[in-house]
């Protein structure tokens, strides 16, 4: 879907005086993509002009001088959370492109199965572990705009969240806690979506999954995920309390952009964040809009659906289904908070999930965890963790 937007720009959806765009696609892995982009930026390459950055990387790229501040003509049209996530030291370093926050997916045809997370030692596992602590009554995000970490204000709640493999469903139902399936430790977003669609993994039934909103479109397009009357066999829900982690991406301008490309680059960013493009990316691909107007349109009952341009045999996502998704996504985004704004966030993320997995897999004692984790994570946020630093 995103590639299509760039193709439209190149085929004439741009002022004639502006150049065509070459889209450089990198690794599917969030962690590898960050490493690739940072490596190119470090050598001062002018190979690219505009970057699509995960919101968690903005501080790193801004404070290391890889991207430049950008002025917004109308910042009020953007959702507040994604807009502020790209503000570093009082300057705007990125224009929101996609807004993201995790949603709960619940099967309606089987309610006694387990819960799937993504805990496969990638960035998504950092997000899941952070949310487990926050939703479990502990603290992990108090240092979001500073370089400190809180894990000890309520040690009982934090330890229980990390060592008791069950989750209370967001929206609440008859079950007080749903067991997290052990397979979660090997799953990424795509693999967990497949297991949720199958309704089982190994010999264990699956009833719940936490995942990005983009999974909604993949599931909704699968005929087996609909009843005979075409109604969905699953539902989505936002958390009913604060503590979620804000995801998404921004568009940033390279510090090494050629002067002649600066104006068309800003024009391209304006197009990518326009209402028609944001609506199409959401309706056809499930990318979270960054404009309040798009959400307001769906809430008012006149949001757009994806045009059937290719005669697809899959059931299209209806306006009502998109409206429900938009409402739950906006609620989740409004409740979510950014990850720590540190130029060393990547180091923090790796250290944090190592500590969290150690507790989850009972490889570390409680006393050891709380005596080492806070200091290690604070050091990581400040870039002071040596390569041979012991795990929690």
């Amino acid at each position: 879907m995103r590639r299509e937007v760039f193709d439209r720009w190149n085929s004439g959806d741009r002022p004639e005086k502006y150049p065509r765009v070459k889209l450089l696609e990198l690794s599917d892995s969030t962690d590898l993509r960050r490493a690739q982009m940072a490596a190119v930026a470090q050598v001062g390459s002018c190979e690219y002009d505009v970057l699509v950055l995960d919101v968690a990387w903005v501080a790193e790229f801004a404070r290391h001088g890889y991207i430049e501040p950008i002025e917004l003509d109308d910042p009020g049209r953007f959702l507040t959370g994604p807009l502020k996530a790209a503000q570093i030291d009082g300057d705007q370093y990125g224009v929101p492109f996609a807004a993201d926050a995790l949603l709960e997916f619940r099967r309606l045809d089987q309610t006694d199965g387990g819960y799937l997370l993504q805990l496969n030692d990638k960035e998504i596992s950092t997000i899941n572990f952070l949310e487990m602590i926050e939703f479990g009554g502990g603290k992990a995000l108090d240092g979001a705009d500073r370089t400190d970490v809180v894990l000890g204000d309520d040690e009982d709640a934090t330890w229980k969240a990390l060592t008791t493999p069950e989750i209370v469903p967001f929206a609440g139902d008859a079950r007080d806690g749903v067991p997290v399936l052990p397979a979660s430790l090997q799953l990424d977003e795509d693999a967990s979506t497949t297991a949720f669609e199958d309704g089982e993994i190994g010999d264990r039934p699956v009833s719940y999954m936490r995942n990005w909103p983009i999974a909604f479109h993949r599931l909704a397009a699968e005929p087996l995920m609909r009843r005979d009357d075409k109604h969905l066999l699953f539902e989505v829900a936002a958390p009913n309390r604060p503590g979620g982690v804000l995801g998404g991406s921004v568009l940033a301008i390279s510090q090494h952009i050629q002067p002649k490309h600066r104006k068309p680059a800003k024009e391209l960013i304006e197009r990518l964040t326009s209402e028609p493009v944001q609506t199409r990316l959401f309706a056809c691909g499930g990318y979270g809009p960054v404009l309040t107007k798009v959400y307001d349109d769906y809430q008012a009952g006149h949001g757009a659906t994806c045009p059937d341009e290719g005669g697809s045999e899959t059931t299209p996502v209806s306006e009502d289904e998109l409206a429900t998704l938009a409402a739950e996504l906006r609620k989740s985004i409004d409740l979510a908070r950014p990850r720590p704004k540190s130029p060393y966030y990547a180091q923090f993320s790796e250290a944090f999930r190592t500590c969290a997995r150690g507790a989850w897999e009972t490889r570390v004692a409680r006393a050891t965890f709380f005596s080492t984790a806070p200091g290690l994570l604070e050091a990581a946020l400040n870039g002071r963790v040596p390569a041979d630093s012991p795990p929690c």
Side-chain angles (χ1 to χ4, degrees), residues 5-6 9 18 21 50 251 263-273:
V5 173
F6 291 99
W9 171 276
Y18 290 151
V21 170
V50 178
L251 298 162
K263 188 172 182 180
K266 291 181 177 179
E267 184 75 22
L268 173 64
I269 290 175
E270 184 70 22
R271 179 59 184 165
L272 294 174
T273 57

Side-chain angles (χ1 to χ4, degrees), residues 369-388:
F369 179 86
F370 285 108
S371 66
T372 60
L376 175 64
L377 298 182
E378 183 174 351
L381 279 176
N382 288 280
R384 299 196 308 265
V385 177
D388 59 349

Side-chain angles (χ1 to χ4, degrees), residues 74-136:
D74 185 12
R77 66 194 183 103
F78 294 101
L79 295 177
T80 302
L83 187 68
K84 289 185 175 181
Q87 294 172 359
I88 306 297
D89 301 328
D91 291 320
Q92 191 75 40
Y93 275 91
V95 182
F97 182 37
D100 241 348
L102 292 176
L103 295 171
E104 180 179 88
F105 292 74
R106 178 181 358 209
R107 292 188 65 114
L108 300 175
D109 57 337
Q110 57 183 39
T111 58
D112 59 349
Y115 209 124
L116 282 179
L117 299 175
Q118 302 85 30
L119 303 174
N120 66 333
D121 199 26
K122 301 294 183 183
E123 178 59 25
I124 184 62
S125 70
T126 296
I127 293 172
N128 272 300
F129 280 125
L130 285 170
E131 291 197 343
M132 277 192 286
I133 294 173
E134 290 288 321
F135 291 140

Side-chain angles (χ1 to χ4, degrees), residues 2 53 55 78-83 85 95-103 212-214 245-251 273 278 281-282 286-292 295 325-326 328-334 336 339:
R2 286 183 171 178
L53 287 178
V55 292
F78 294 101
L79 295 177
T80 302
L83 187 68
V95 182
F97 182 37
D100 241 348
L102 292 176
L103 295 171
W212 301 114
I214 198 170
V245 175
L246 183 66
S249 60
V250 302
L251 298 162
T273 57
Q278 286 285 304
L281 286 173
F282 173 67
Y287 293 100
V290 296
L291 305 179
T292 57
Y295 292 94
L325 176 61
E328 295 301 319
L329 175 55
R330 185 172 189 177
K331 187 188 306 180
S332 188
I333 291 170
D334 288 344
R339 282 157 282 177

Side-chain angles (χ1 to χ4, degrees), residues 2 11 17 20 28 54 56 70 76 98 110 132 136 140 163-164 171 187 192 199 227 245 251 287 326 328 369 373:
R2 286 183 171 178
S11 63
K17 60 181 178 179
R20 292 164 58 88
D28 289 338
D54 188 291
I70 186 170
Q110 57 183 39
M132 277 192 286
T163 58
T164 303
L187 298 182
S192 60
R227 296 191 177 102
V245 175
L251 298 162
Y287 293 100
E328 295 301 319
F369 179 86

Side-chain angles (χ1 to χ4, degrees), residues 70-221:
I70 186 170
E71 290 188 16
L72 301 181
D73 294 332
D74 185 12
R77 66 194 183 103
F78 294 101
L79 295 177
T80 302
L83 187 68
K84 289 185 175 181
Q87 294 172 359
I88 306 297
D89 301 328
D91 291 320
Q92 191 75 40
Y93 275 91
V95 182
F97 182 37
D100 241 348
L102 292 176
L103 295 171
E104 180 179 88
F105 292 74
R106 178 181 358 209
R107 292 188 65 114
L108 300 175
D109 57 337
Q110 57 183 39
T111 58
D112 59 349
Y115 209 124
L116 282 179
L117 299 175
Q118 302 85 30
L119 303 174
N120 66 333
D121 199 26
K122 301 294 183 183
E123 178 59 25
I124 184 62
S125 70
T126 296
I127 293 172
N128 272 300
F129 280 125
L130 285 170
E131 291 197 343
M132 277 192 286
I133 294 173
E134 290 288 321
F135 291 140
K139 292 184 181 296
L141 290 174
D142 277 16
D145 287 310
R146 302 169 308 199
T147 51
D148 58 354
V149 178
V150 178
L151 284 178
D153 276 12
D154 191 336
E155 290 188 6
D156 289 340
T158 298
W159 190 248
K160 181 179 180 181
L162 288 176
T163 58
T164 303
E166 65 176 30
I167 291 178
V168 177
F170 284 165
D173 57 21
R175 305 178 69 181
D176 294 329
V178 179
V180 177
L181 296 173
S184 297
L185 287 170
Q186 285 76 48
L187 298 182
D188 60 11
E189 295 95 318
D190 288 340
S192 60
T193 302
T194 297
F196 181 82
E197 182 181 307
D198 293 341
E200 63 180 10
I201 186 164
D203 58 351
R204 304 287 294 275
V206 176
S207 296
Y208 297 85
M209 172 183 68
R210 194 177 299 175
N211 211 326
W212 301 114
I214 198 170
F216 182 94
H217 278 58
R218 173 178 163 181
L219 293 169

